[in-house]
Amino acid sequence: MPPNHKRRAPAMEPAAGGAGQQRQNKASAGKKAKKGGGCRWPAVKPKKDLQINRLKGTHLLTIPDFVTSAEAKAFIDVAESMGFTHQGSLGPLKGEAYRDNDRISVTDPLLAQAIWESGINRIFTDINVSGKAATGLNPNIRFYRYTEGQRFGRHIDESVDLGDGSKTYYTLLIYLSGKGSAKDSSGQALIGGETVFYDQRGGIVAEVAPVQGMALLHLHGAKCMLHEARVVKKNTKPLHFQELDGYLLVLLTWIF
C-alpha cells in the first residue's frame, strides 16, 4: 500500500528515507515485505454513512471511525505477533529525513481489497486525478509503530508505478491507536505523534492528532505536501494501520 518515501536534503526539509542502520526488536521481521496471505487479519466490516472531512480547503481528508476500536485492537495484536523491524536513516546531513520508528511491510491483495470495499471505494466515486478514477489499493501494506521518543521527520511520499499501467496517487493512513483507545480512557493517553503538513514556505497547513479508528487521506507524488510524524512524548503512537503502545497508521495507496 504505501508509497515510497523520497529523501531530500534540508533545503525543503528532508524527505523520508528507507535504508539506515537497522535496529531490530526482540521479535523483529525481515526487511523484505512479508506475504500476508497466511495472517489471520481481522474482518473489516463495510461502514455505512462515513463522514468525510476536508481540512482547510486542501486535498487532505479525514474519515472518523473508519475502523472500530475492536478492529484496530485486532490489527495491533496480529502485527505484534508478527514482529516489527526498526527503521532508521542517515539523517538530514546525509540528505535523508530523520526516521526512527518500527515497521512491518506485508503484501496482501485480499486485505487491500477488503479495506477498499469497506468504504474507501465509495469515497472515491467522485474523486479523480487527471481524469483517472481509482480502482483499488496497492497490496503492499505497512504497519508503523512509534514508541516514546520516536518520530519521522519532514518528507514526501512518492507515487508508485505498479508496472501494469496503474499508478498510485494517494496515501491512506489509518490510526490504530490514539484518542478514544483503551489507554486513552484509562488516563494513559498518547501525547504527541501528530501528522503535520507544511506548505512550500514551511508554514503549517494542518495538524492531525491521532484518533483511534480515523483514516487520513492525502495526495502523494508530484503534489505531495511536505509532512512529518511528530515525536511521541508518551505511550505508543497508533499503528498507520498509522495503538495502545503507539502504533501509527497503516499506509495504503490507491491505484488509478
Side-chain angles (χ1 to χ4, degrees), residues 76-90:
I76 291 171
D77 289 344
V78 174
E80 286 291 354
S81 71
M82 295 173 67
F84 285 81
T85 298
H86 179 261
Q87 299 289 304
S89 71
L90 297 178

Side-chain angles (χ1 to χ4, degrees), residues 29-203:
K31 287 184 183 179
K32 295 183 179 179
K34 300 179 180 181
K35 292 184 178 180
C39 296
R40 295 183 178 180
W41 302 114
V44 182
K45 297 180 179 179
K47 308 299 190 302
K48 297 181 180 180
D49 302 320
L50 289 172
Q51 177 184 339
I52 304 172
N53 303 314
R54 184 177 295 274
L55 304 182
K56 298 186 178 181
T58 68
H59 64 264
L60 300 172
L61 304 174
T62 60
I63 308 169
D65 303 317
F66 181 72
V67 297
T68 66
S69 177
E71 289 170 344
K73 181 63 167 58
F75 271 112
I76 291 171
D77 289 344
V78 174
E80 286 291 354
S81 71
M82 295 173 67
F84 285 81
T85 298
H86 179 261
Q87 299 289 304
S89 71
L90 297 178
L93 294 179
K94 297 294 184 179
E96 296 182 5
Y98 179 87
R99 180 171 189 170
D100 179 18
N101 63 8
D102 303 316
R103 186 186 79 168
I104 292 174
S105 179
V106 299
T107 298
D108 194 324
L110 293 180
L111 176 58
Q113 182 178 358
I115 295 171
W116 172 253
E117 294 178 349
S118 69
I120 295 297
N121 54 345
R122 298 195 304 275
I123 292 171
F124 274 79
T125 300
D126 299 320
I127 298 177
N128 65 73
V129 176
S130 300
K132 297 180 179 180
T135 59
L137 296 175
N138 184 341
N140 179 228
I141 304 169
R142 296 175 192 174
F143 293 76
Y144 288 169
R145 179 181 64 191
Y146 292 79
T147 57
E148 187 172 333
Q150 289 187 317
R151 66 183 179 90
F152 197 165
R154 299 184 189 188
H155 62 279
I156 62 171
D157 299 345
E158 287 187 320
S159 181
V160 177
D161 186 342
L162 298 176
D164 59 356
S166 58
K167 191 175 182 179
T168 66
Y169 288 91
Y170 271 84
T171 295
L172 165 63
L173 307 178
I174 304 173
Y175 295 91
L176 299 182
S177 64
K179 184 176 180 181
S181 65
K183 281 195 175 181
D184 178 63
S185 60
S186 65
Q188 303 180 57
L190 173 72
I191 299 175
E194 298 88 354
T195 304
V196 185
F197 293 86
Y198 298 89
D199 60 24
Q200 294 182 344
R201 296 182 178 181

